[in-house]
């Protein structure tokens, strides 16, 4: 019934997994959809269409949608490229100048030294705050996405369990009956066909759920590890840069600058990726909400929802009603024509038609469907459900002789016939109970309820925490970027001050009088001559 095609796309990481777990077909038909989902939110510039605005709404099958949502993160990716290229070129030129034209200027600015150190402390503190926001955000984001995946897996598991239970009742209906009376062979053949289809669909859905949920959890764990390592690495880098630049260790500072050049670029790229993901999550939440409000419209979600292919669900539902109707008809036929039949007194028992049954007539089991399989109201006196049937029919059971097939006391049923009839009533009840499950699958009611639950319970957290991770990454990247520039500036000023002090220490001291006053060179040659006595 729910037959996911092998080529269906595994939707982006955790949140879009909700629909990928139930995916059926993946085509671009949604691009022609007359009803656009999240049209206002997805109104972004499309680089594939000459920067004209994208007007196709939410549609993960469209490359223009992905281009437009990717373009929304273009400034962050551009910042990563500019930083990597410009600062890399600056590092290369600085290295060439240092090797070819070394300069050991000792001129430094005390004000510049103080200001650069104060700014370095400020941006290091900003990097610490950004790392804290990032670490907290990734933890919350991981918890929210894991809860969403758990909910999806539970919904999928419940669907598989319901389908398998339904097929179990169909299998039981084949064996149900009273004595030699059971369902006709042609109906049993049709039951086998439906059981095979539903069983195959259940197995595929269960396997797809297990596979996709495992992949999604692996991806979530990988993302969490990357974010934790990045936050720790940037924090260590910021503190190491602060300490080394404060100590004036310029050569070691340049090693950190090289590492920071790569890590800041990687942080910007990851920041852009999370901004893209944040936008896709927001688009999908809004699209699901609009689809819930307009479930009958043809939309882009039709490409990935299981309720699009209703033929198999309708067939299974119809076959379940037919089996239920025929089974109850067989059971009531036995009650009317055999159990409630009165044979002439003294007639010899001839099971299974006459087994010395007697007493008040048994009530019939309520048949929930008419011959044309429409719903039917129960008539007065009919019993409903296996429990009521056992209670009502149990009063008509007799005690048998040694053969177990002939009543020795008053009653309309032998104990074995009672168990067979109650078993058939239980099968009928099970088929009627799981009929609404198939109806939900056919008209997409279960998907609508799931979307409502995701939109209410999971979407707010997914959007909020993905934005927190994005902002944390951006804060860390900018703070460390500015810190790198200050590392270079402050460490150079520190080195110049250190060089200036060393030159003062090694410079020759001027001549001194005995009392400590300096004497200008050859000053005595120009002093006035002392008069003779």
């Amino acid at each position: 019934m729910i037959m996911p095609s092998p080529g269906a796309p595994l939707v982006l990481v955790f949140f879009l997994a909700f629909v990928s777990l139930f995916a059926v077909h993946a085509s671009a038909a949604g691009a022609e959809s007359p009803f656009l989902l999240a049209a206002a939110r997805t109104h972004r510039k499309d680089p594939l269409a000459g920067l004209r605005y994208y007007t196709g709404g939410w549609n993960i099958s469209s490359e223009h949608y992905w281009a437009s949502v990717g373009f929304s993160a273009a400034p962050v990716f551009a910042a990563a490229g500019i930083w990597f290229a410009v600062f890399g070129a600056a590092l290369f030129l600085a290295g060439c100048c240092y090797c070819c034209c070394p300069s050991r200027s000792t001129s430094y600015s005390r004000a510049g030294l103080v200001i650069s150190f104060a700014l370095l402390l400020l941006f290091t503190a900003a990097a610490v705050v950004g790392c804290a926001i990032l670490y907290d955000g990734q933890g919350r984001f991981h918890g929210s996405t894991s809860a969403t995946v758990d909910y999806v897996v539970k919904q999928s598991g419940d669907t598989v369990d319901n389908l398998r239970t339904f097929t179990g009742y169909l299998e039981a209906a084949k064996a149900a009956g009273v004595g030699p009376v059971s369902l006709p062979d042609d109906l049993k053949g049709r039951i086998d066909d439906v059981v095979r289809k539903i069983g195959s669909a259940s197995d595929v859905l269960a396997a797809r759920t297990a596979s996709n949920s495992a992949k999604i959890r692996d991806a979530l764990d990988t993302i969490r590890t990357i974010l934790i390592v990045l936050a720790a690495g940037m924090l260590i880098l910021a503190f190491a840069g602060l300490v080394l630049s404060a100590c004036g260790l310029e050569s070691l500072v340049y090693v950190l600058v090289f590492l920071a050049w790569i890590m800041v670029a990687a942080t910007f790229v990851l920041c852009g990726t999370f901004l893209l993901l944040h936008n896709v999550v927001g688009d999908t939440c809004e699209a699901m909400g609009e689809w819930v409000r307009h479930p009958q419209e043809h939309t882009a979600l039709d490409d990935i929802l299981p309720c699009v292919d209703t033929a198999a669900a309708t067939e299974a539902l119809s076959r379940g009603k037919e089996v239920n109707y025929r089974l109850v008809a067989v059971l009531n036929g036995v009650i009317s024509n055999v159990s409630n039949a009165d044979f002439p007194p003294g007639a010899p028992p001839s099971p299974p038609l006459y087994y010395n049954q007697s007493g008040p007539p048994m009530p019939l089991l309520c048949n929930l469907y008419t011959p044309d399989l429409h719903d039917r109201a129960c008539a007065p006196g009919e019993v409903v459900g296996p429990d009521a049937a056992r209670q009502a029919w149990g009063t008509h059971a007799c005690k048998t002789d040694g053969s177990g097939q002939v009543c020795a006391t008053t009653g309309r049923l032998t104990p074995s016939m009672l168990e067979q009839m109650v078993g058939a009533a239980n099968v009928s009840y099970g088929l009627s109970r799981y009929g609404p499950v198939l109806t939900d699958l056919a008209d997409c009611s279960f998907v609508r309820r799931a979307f409502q639950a995701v939109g209410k319970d999971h979407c707010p957290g997914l959007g909020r925490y993905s934005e927190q991770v994005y902002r944390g990454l951006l804060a860390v990247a900018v703070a460390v970027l500015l810190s790198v520039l200050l590392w270079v500036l402050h460490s150079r000023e520190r080195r110049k001050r250190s060089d200036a002090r060393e030159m003062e220490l090694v410079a020759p001291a001027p001549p001194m009088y005995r009392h400590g006053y300096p004497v200008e060179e050859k000053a005595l040659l120009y002093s006035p001559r002392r008069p003779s006595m």
Side-chain angles (χ1 to χ4, degrees):
M1 178 175 54
I2 304 177
M3 296 298 292
S5 63
L10 177 61
V11 189
L12 185 61
V13 197
F14 31 81
F15 178 66
L16 297 182
F18 183 84
V19 280
S20 76
L21 289 179
F22 297 103
V24 186
H25 301 294
S27 66
E32 306 298 329
S33 170
F35 186 82
L36 301 179
L37 297 172
R41 181 182 172 88
T42 58
H43 191 68
R44 307 182 182 98
K45 290 185 177 181
D46 180 8
L48 298 182
L51 294 182
R52 291 191 296 272
Y53 280 94
Y54 171 70
T55 57
W58 183 91
N59 184 5
I60 62 172
S61 300
S62 171
E63 62 180 6
H64 290 278
Y65 169 75
W66 287 109
S68 64
V69 75
F71 192 72
S72 65
V76 183
F77 290 122
I82 292 172
W83 163 259
F84 192 80
V86 174
F87 195 76
L91 281 178
F92 178 76
L93 293 176
C96 293
C97 292
Y98 183 82
C99 295
C100 302
C101 306
S103 173
R104 301 297 292 180
S105 173
T106 59
S107 175
Y108 70 96
S109 169
R110 291 182 179 274
L113 195 62
V114 173
I115 293 174
S116 63
F117 186 69
L119 291 176
L120 186 55
L121 290 175
L122 176 64
F123 291 129
T124 302
V128 172
V129 173
C131 289
I133 294 174
L134 176 59
Y135 183 81
D136 178 70
Q138 65 80 26
R140 295 174 183 271
F141 180 75
H142 186 272
S144 180
T145 50
S146 297
T148 305
V149 173
D150 290 341
Y151 174 78
V152 174
V153 171
K154 181 180 182 303
Q155 295 299 308
S156 177
D158 290 346
T159 301
V160 170
D161 290 342
N162 288 334
L163 291 176
R164 288 175 173 169
T165 303
F166 179 76
T167 58
Y169 280 115
L170 285 178
E171 289 280 9
K174 290 172 53 182
V178 182
V181 183
S182 63
L183 295 176
D185 292 339
D186 62 331
L187 183 57
K188 290 181 180 180
R190 293 197 294 272
I191 289 176
D192 288 336
D193 185 53
V194 172
V195 167
R196 184 171 57 254
K197 290 181 180 179
I198 297 180
S200 175
S202 301
D203 293 341
V204 170
L205 182 57
R208 187 177 184 85
T209 300
S211 174
N212 285 355
S213 61
K215 293 177 182 178
I216 293 164
R217 293 184 195 280
D218 289 343
L220 290 176
D221 291 340
T222 301
I223 291 173
R224 185 180 191 182
T225 301
I226 291 174
L227 292 177
I228 291 176
V229 170
L230 182 67
M234 295 296 266
L235 188 63
I236 294 172
L237 195 66
F239 275 114
L242 173 65
V243 173
L244 294 180
S245 59
C247 295
L249 302 176
E250 194 174 6
S251 57
L252 294 180
V253 166
Y254 277 113
V255 174
L256 289 183
V257 167
F258 178 78
L259 295 176
W261 169 54
I262 298 175
M263 292 189 66
V264 168
T267 305
F268 271 123
V269 171
L270 196 58
C271 177
T273 303
F274 261 86
L275 176 58
L276 185 152
L277 177 63
H278 171 72
N279 290 334
V280 172
V281 167
D283 294 348
T284 306
C285 286
E286 186 165 333
M288 289 196 308
E290 291 184 6
W291 183 85
V292 168
R293 294 190 293 271
H294 305 85
Q296 304 304 322
E297 297 286 353
H298 176 59
T299 68
L301 272 173
D302 293 347
D303 294 333
I304 52 179
L305 291 181
C307 49
V308 178
D309 185 13
T310 60
T314 303
E315 179 187 358
L317 179 60
S318 176
R319 194 67 62 228
K321 289 183 177 181
E322 181 185 4
V323 170
N324 198 343
Y325 168 77
R326 298 283 290 274
L327 181 61
V328 175
V330 166
L331 195 60
N332 286 339
V334 171
I335 294 174
S336 299
N337 300 323
V338 178
S339 298
N340 287 343
D342 292 322
F343 288 81
S350 56
L353 296 180
Y354 178 51
Y355 44 89
N356 200 26
Q357 61 266 43
S358 62
M362 292 172 52
L364 299 177
L365 181 64
C366 176
N367 200 329
L368 300 177
Y369 305 105
T370 62
D372 56 357
L373 303 183
H374 289 95
D375 292 340
R376 170 187 174 274
C378 295
E382 294 181 336
V383 295
V384 182
D387 294 335
R390 179 177 291 278
Q391 183 177 2
W393 294 340
T395 60
H396 296 272
C398 67
K399 293 183 179 180
T400 60
D401 59 8
S403 66
Q405 297 181 351
V406 178
C407 285
T409 61
T410 301
R412 292 287 178 177
L413 292 173
T414 64
S416 62
M417 291 177 65
L418 175 63
E419 293 303 321
Q420 289 175 341
M421 286 186 172
V422 172
N426 185 61
V427 171
S428 172
Y429 173 75
L431 291 174
S432 62
R433 177 185 176 186
Y434 285 91
V437 174
L438 297 177
T439 303
D440 284 353
L441 293 176
D443 65 7
C444 242
S445 296
F446 85 106
V447 177
R448 191 177 305 114
R449 290 193 297 270
F451 278 8
Q452 287 175 332
V454 170
K456 177 182 178 182
D457 301 330
H458 301 281
C459 273
L462 286 169
R464 182 166 58 251
Y465 301 137
S466 61
E467 182 179 9
Q468 182 178 346
V469 172
Y470 152 70
R471 293 185 181 278
L473 287 168
L474 185 62
V476 170
V478 173
V480 174
L481 184 153
L482 296 174
S483 296
V484 168
L485 302 179
L486 290 170
W487 294 347
V488 176
L489 177 61
H490 188 74
S491 62
R492 290 190 66 183
E493 292 298 312
R494 284 275 185 179
R495 191 260 302 166
K496 289 179 179 180
R497 188 181 71 169
S498 178
D499 290 350
R501 288 182 174 179
E502 288 181 2
M503 292 188 66
E504 290 177 0
L505 292 175
V506 300
M512 304 289 289
Y513 276 127
R514 179 175 58 178
H515 299 288
Y517 296 102
V519 179
E520 185 180 352
E521 187 178 357
K522 298 183 179 181
L524 295 177
L525 297 178
Y526 305 103
S527 60
R529 180 175 296 181
R530 193 173 179 182
S532 58
M533 298 298 296

